[in-house]
């Protein structure tokens, strides 16, 4: 990401500050005294001297996207500050085009301040894919801090800019929540006890016959446990109640007649426990 950002920054200052590409270099080196003495062309230099997280922009939120098979949660990118010391080096105060160091620095200052929030055309693809912008701030001179940087490089303090770029960093923290498309149903016989980890449904099956022993179809059956159901063509009726101690209260036929059937005349089928 840093290499992509610095390549984009180079294009930004060339374009926004209208710097001559054939007469001035833009570099990202540590400007030691030996490095400066070896320059052969006018050079604008961005020295990256500090990298740290921008805590004011930290977020612990997740972005949610739906993918094949479920929903993916991705931690939003962190925001990282890249701090640059910006300097201009000519062999003399005036180059062959009549532009001095201060003029170049002034034009660069205007270009960077104009792009406090980078336009999309300057944002590298790696940062654009994260859907987070790139911010640039020209800070106030840092006094002793800047002086310490020049001293450590073996250079006298010279006109400079303090420039901070805030760029996204993807931590690649994500999790996938699978989409459940089925449910499990366990069938057990009446001899098995229901599992203790959840409720079960008990269904009792009966055959309803009249006084002649014929199956009664389409009859409304009520029990003393509150169960209600219609019998099928074969006289079978299913009630969502256990068969133990169940008593048929009423059998109402399709023509509205009520059959009084003692419990012993109703043949029981094996119960089905679900």
């Amino acid at each position: 990401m840093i290499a992509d950002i610095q390549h984009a920054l180079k294009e930004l200052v060339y374009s926004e500050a209208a710097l001559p590409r054939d007469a001035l270099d833009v570099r990202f080196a540590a400007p030691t005294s030996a490095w400066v003495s070896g320059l052969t062309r006018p050079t604008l230099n961005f020295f990256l001297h500090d990298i740290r997280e921008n805590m004011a922009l930290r977020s612990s939120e997740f972005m949610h996207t739906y993918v094949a098979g479920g929903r993916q949660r991705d931690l939003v990118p962190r925001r990282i500050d890249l701090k640059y010391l910006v300097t201009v080096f000519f062999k003399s105060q005036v180059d062959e085009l009549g532009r001095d160091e201060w003029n170049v620095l002034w034009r660069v200052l205007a270009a960077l301040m104009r792009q406090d929030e980078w336009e999309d055309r300057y944002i590298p693809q790696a940062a654009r894919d994260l859907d987070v912008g790139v911010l640039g701030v020209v800070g106030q001179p840092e006094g002793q801090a800047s002086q310490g940087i020049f001293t450590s490089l073996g250079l006298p303090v010279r006109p400079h800019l303090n420039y901070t770029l805030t760029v996204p960093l993807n931590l690649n923290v994500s999790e996938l929540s699978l989409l459940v498309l089925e449910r499990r149903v366990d069938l057990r016989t009446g001899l098995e006890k229901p599992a203790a980890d959840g409720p079960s449904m008990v269904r009792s099956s009966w055959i309803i016959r009249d006084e002649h022993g014929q199956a009664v179809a389409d009859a409304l059956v009520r029990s003393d446990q509150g169960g209600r159901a219609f019998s099928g063509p074969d006289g079978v009726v299913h009630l969502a109640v256990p068969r133990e101690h169940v008593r048929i209260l009423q059998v109402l036929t399709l023509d509205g007649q009520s059959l009084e059937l003692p419990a012993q005349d109703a043949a029981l089928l094996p119960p089905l426990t679900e």
Side-chain angles (χ1 to χ4, degrees), residues 28-29 33 67 85 137 139 144 147 158 171 193 195 208 238 264:
F28 298 88
S33 57
V67 297
L85 182 72
V137 175
Q144 297 297 323
Q147 182 177 350
R158 56 190 297 117
L171 299 182
K193 294 183 178 180
I208 305 301
H238 304 290
Q264 61 268 22

Side-chain angles (χ1 to χ4, degrees), residues 7-252:
H7 178 74
L9 177 58
K10 181 177 180 178
E11 293 301 314
L12 184 149
V13 294
Y14 269 134
S15 300
E16 295 294 324
L19 300 178
R21 295 174 183 263
D22 59 343
L24 185 142
D25 293 336
V26 177
R27 301 183 63 179
F28 298 88
T32 62
S33 57
W35 179 83
V36 173
S37 62
L39 293 176
T40 58
R41 286 164 52 93
T43 301
L44 169 67
N45 190 67
F46 288 81
F47 172 45
L48 177 60
H49 62 86
D50 189 78
I51 302 176
R52 67 183 64 188
E53 181 181 358
N54 188 317
M55 300 301 295
L57 297 179
R58 171 181 279 198
S59 174
S60 298
E61 296 181 354
F62 282 82
M63 297 183 297
H64 301 267
T65 54
Y66 289 94
V67 297
R71 184 182 66 174
Q72 182 169 313
R73 301 172 68 242
D74 297 283
L75 184 66
V76 298
R78 295 292 168 85
R79 312 295 289 278
I80 306 300
D81 286 341
L82 308 179
K83 295 182 178 291
Y84 290 92
L85 182 72
V86 186
T87 47
V88 181
F89 299 97
F90 283 18
K91 280 298 183 180
S92 62
Q93 290 291 321
V94 179
D95 72 344
E96 65 272 18
L97 298 179
R99 300 181 178 91
D100 57 22
E101 295 179 357
W102 330 130
N103 184 35
V104 171
L105 199 62
W106 185 259
R107 294 167 68 177
V108 171
L109 172 62
L112 296 179
M113 294 184 71
R114 187 164 55 247
Q115 290 290 327
D116 55 348
E117 184 172 350
W118 279 19
E119 297 178 17
D120 289 344
R121 59 192 173 117
Y122 294 124
I123 299 177
Q125 189 63 45
R128 197 177 304 167
D129 290 342
L130 299 177
D131 198 24
V132 178
V134 174
L135 307 177
V137 175
V138 179
Q140 297 296 322
E142 298 182 359
Q144 297 297 323
S146 296
Q147 182 177 350
I149 296 174
F150 280 108
T151 301
S152 65
L153 295 171
L155 296 176
V157 178
R158 56 190 297 117
H160 63 279
L161 304 176
N162 294 296
Y163 184 55
T164 300
L165 270 179
T166 302
V167 300
L169 172 63
N170 187 6
L171 299 182
N172 293 315
V173 176
S174 62
E175 63 180 30
L176 178 63
S177 300
L178 296 178
L179 178 63
V180 179
L181 297 177
E182 62 182 38
R183 66 179 181 179
R184 179 178 174 180
V185 178
D186 294 326
L187 298 178
R188 297 183 294 273
T189 66
L191 298 178
E192 297 177 344
K193 294 183 178 180
D197 56 354
S200 62
M201 183 181 70
V202 178
R203 186 176 67 174
S204 298
S205 299
W206 304 70
I207 293 180
I208 305 301
R209 303 180 189 275
D210 60 19
E211 64 273 16
H212 304 293
Q214 299 298 317
V216 180
D218 299 320
L220 175 62
V221 181
R222 294 194 305 114
S223 73
D224 60 350
Q225 297 291 325
R228 294 165 58 92
F230 284 92
S231 62
D234 53 0
V236 177
V237 62
H238 304 290
L239 299 176
V241 293
R243 74 175 184 178
E244 291 81 7
H245 310 295
V246 172
R247 187 168 62 91
I248 300 297
L249 291 181
Q250 183 186 45
V251 177
L252 189 63

